[in-house]
Amino acid sequence: MAVSRPSPARLTPTPADRPVYVIGAGPGGLATAYALRARGVRAVVLEKSDRVGASWRRHYDRLHLHTTRRLSALPGLAIPRRFGRWVSRDDLVRYLEKYAEHHELEIVTGVEVHRVERTADGTGWLLHASGGRELTGSAVVVATGFNHTPRLPDWPGREGYGGELLHSADYRDAEPYRGRDVLVVGAGNTGAEIAVDLVEGGAARVRLAVRTPPHILRRSALGWAAQYTGVLVRRLPVWLVDRLAGPVERLSTPDLSAYGLRRPDTGLYSRVRQGAIPVQDVGLIDAVRKGEVEVVAAVEALEEGKVVLADGSRVSPDAVIAATGYERALEGLVGHLGVLDERGRPVAHGGRTPAQAPGLYFTGFTDPISGMLRELAVDAGRIAKAVARRLT
């Protein structure tokens, strides 16, 4: 893999040679670096860890993509067929490593960018990085990832809770929970998969705390991947997709209301636009119907050794795993530039830049219905085209 170690000389371009700096060596950063190079633009990827794909390496062991191999490949290199239709976490990491090596990308590891601001003359961007480095680029692409900083709710009583409490980011496999009572908080894809993993791994009891019932889809039906539908409808009006999705969801997934998991009150695409991707079923439906995963009310507070649920009941699990999402954590990096919305997400992404920050691009901060990796590949091409046009 074309990875170089940081040094002040290497990382301080002359005014006549300002590269485009890409922050983050995940799929979005690597794809954008390749797309820029393909247009003759020098791209330097800055990665705070020592390897590419750092966030993917931290995911739980059983993770497989919910998007197909063919629609998850980055531009310029297919994912090997031997990885199967639903690529595993480890195989995706292998693919990212090969991608960086195959395209001979210029990646500098061990460099964390803390703040981005305009240069004094307004012609470029100044990056303040670890070790006191100041790097000047002609443009900047922020690709630090959708799942950046684990978010653990500030439940009342959390500080004094004496039980085992961890974020799903720290969950790897079910072995430590064999024979134990576990409460999983959050019914997104991560929470659903961890609950199933715990059942299959021998946990004595698994409960799933749900605040907002998710839309649940079969990952594939008769060979037709749910992602294919997402690609087809992604540009249709939200109301129309909601109306079309309702009957399909009712036909493809059973009503689990009798088990405590009622159908959502809002439309599927409306929920996606609010940031809630449907759960791709990889065993949750069967586990709930068999009573292996018990659906309970949302967590309201923590007491000494007990968890208080929204229905007023109290449970005493051996461990609580919070699958409660992540923060983008962009405020320190670019928050001072006025380029984030009220939820801390970029106001522009892909080939568009915020009006007040020309030359500053973002990729990977949406959760599209058509698949994250597919859209990262699309964004890479759009960013490269916009940058090349701007620099000529």
Side-chain angles (χ1 to χ4, degrees):
M1 181 168 59
V3 177
S4 55
R5 297 298 174 187
S7 67
R10 175 68 180 270
L11 293 175
T12 308
T14 64
D17 181 28
R18 293 179 174 179
V20 173
Y21 281 110
V22 180
I23 306 174
L30 299 180
T32 302
Y34 162 74
L36 286 165
R37 284 197 54 183
R39 287 183 173 269
V41 177
R42 183 187 174 205
V44 177
V45 182
L46 303 175
E47 168 57 46
K48 68 177 182 180
S49 73
D50 61 350
R51 296 177 292 181
V52 304
S55 64
W56 283 93
R57 297 174 191 272
R58 294 194 298 267
H59 285 307
Y60 47 93
D61 293 348
R62 75 171 282 140
L63 178 68
H64 283 69
L65 295 182
H66 294 151
T67 53
T68 66
R69 181 189 71 251
R70 293 184 62 185
L71 292 184
S72 300
L74 303 181
L77 186 67
I79 298 177
R81 289 178 60 87
R82 69 179 182 276
F83 288 175
R85 191 183 196 196
W86 312 107
V87 180
S88 71
R89 177 204 65 184
D90 290 345
D91 282 339
L92 182 66
V93 169
R94 292 186 186 98
Y95 170 71
L96 295 178
E97 292 173 339
K98 180 64 177 178
Y99 190 87
E101 178 184 1
H102 178 79
H103 292 305
E104 299 181 339
L105 301 180
E106 191 174 350
I107 304 171
V108 185
T109 60
V111 174
E112 182 175 5
V113 180
H114 302 296
R115 184 179 173 91
V116 175
E117 60 189 17
R118 296 289 284 172
T119 54
D121 60 9
T123 62
W125 290 93
L126 180 64
L127 288 71
H128 299 272
S130 53
R133 300 177 180 85
E134 293 188 349
L135 317 174
T136 305
S138 57
V140 173
V141 181
V142 180
T144 50
F146 194 83
N147 295 337
H148 187 276
T149 302
R151 180 177 63 241
L152 192 62
D154 189 19
W155 289 304
R158 196 184 85 183
E159 294 302 320
Y161 179 66
E164 182 178 344
L165 170 65
L166 68 152
H167 190 274
S168 57
D170 297 315
Y171 177 89
R172 291 295 170 268
D173 59 53
E175 183 58 34
Y177 307 97
R178 184 179 296 276
R180 302 178 69 194
D181 181 339
V182 186
L183 173 66
V184 180
V185 183
N189 278 293
T190 297
E193 288 200 26
I194 287 177
V196 173
D197 195 44
L198 288 165
V199 168
E200 295 177 354
R205 186 176 188 179
V206 179
R207 282 174 283 202
L208 181 63
V210 179
R211 182 174 300 280
T212 305
H215 287 275
I216 303 176
L217 300 176
R218 301 287 187 184
R219 186 170 64 176
S220 179
L222 301 176
W224 180 266
Q227 184 189 12
Y228 297 162
T229 303
V231 171
L232 291 175
V233 306
R234 71 193 189 284
R235 298 192 186 282
L236 295 179
V238 173
W239 67 266
L240 178 57
V241 177
D242 283 348
R243 182 169 296 180
L244 294 172
V248 173
E249 189 175 359
R250 286 191 291 272
L251 286 172
S252 63
T253 58
D255 185 359
L256 300 175
S257 299
Y259 303 93
L261 194 59
R262 59 180 174 79
R263 293 193 185 276
D265 298 326
T266 53
L268 184 149
Y269 205 14
S270 293
R271 290 284 299 280
V272 170
R273 297 297 290 270
Q274 295 167 5
I277 289 294
V279 169
Q280 304 283 307
D281 179 49
V282 291
L284 179 66
I285 291 175
D286 287 343
V288 169
R289 295 174 78 176
K290 293 176 182 177
E292 296 170 337
V293 171
E294 304 169 44
V295 179
V296 299
V299 172
E300 288 295 317
L302 301 176
E303 293 179 347
E304 243 182 90
K306 294 184 181 296
V307 179
V308 183
L309 303 181
D311 60 5
S313 62
R314 286 165 169 75
V315 296
S316 302
D318 297 319
V320 178
I321 301 174
T324 47
Y326 293 79
E327 303 286 353
R328 289 353 116 207
L330 293 172
E331 287 78 8
L333 186 68
V334 296
H336 56 286
L337 298 172
V339 297
L340 304 177
D341 65 16
E342 65 280 357
R343 293 193 295 170
R345 299 189 182 191
V347 296
H349 70 274
R352 297 179 294 112
T353 62
Q356 67 274 39
L360 180 63
Y361 301 86
F362 296 88
T363 184
F365 296 99
T366 60
D367 207 352
I369 195 172
S370 50
M372 174 67 82
L373 292 172
R374 179 187 182 277
E375 295 306 316
L376 288 176
V378 173
D379 274 357
R382 290 173 176 166
I383 291 172
K385 181 178 180 181
V387 170
R389 184 189 304 122
R390 195 168 169 274
L391 295 180
T392 56

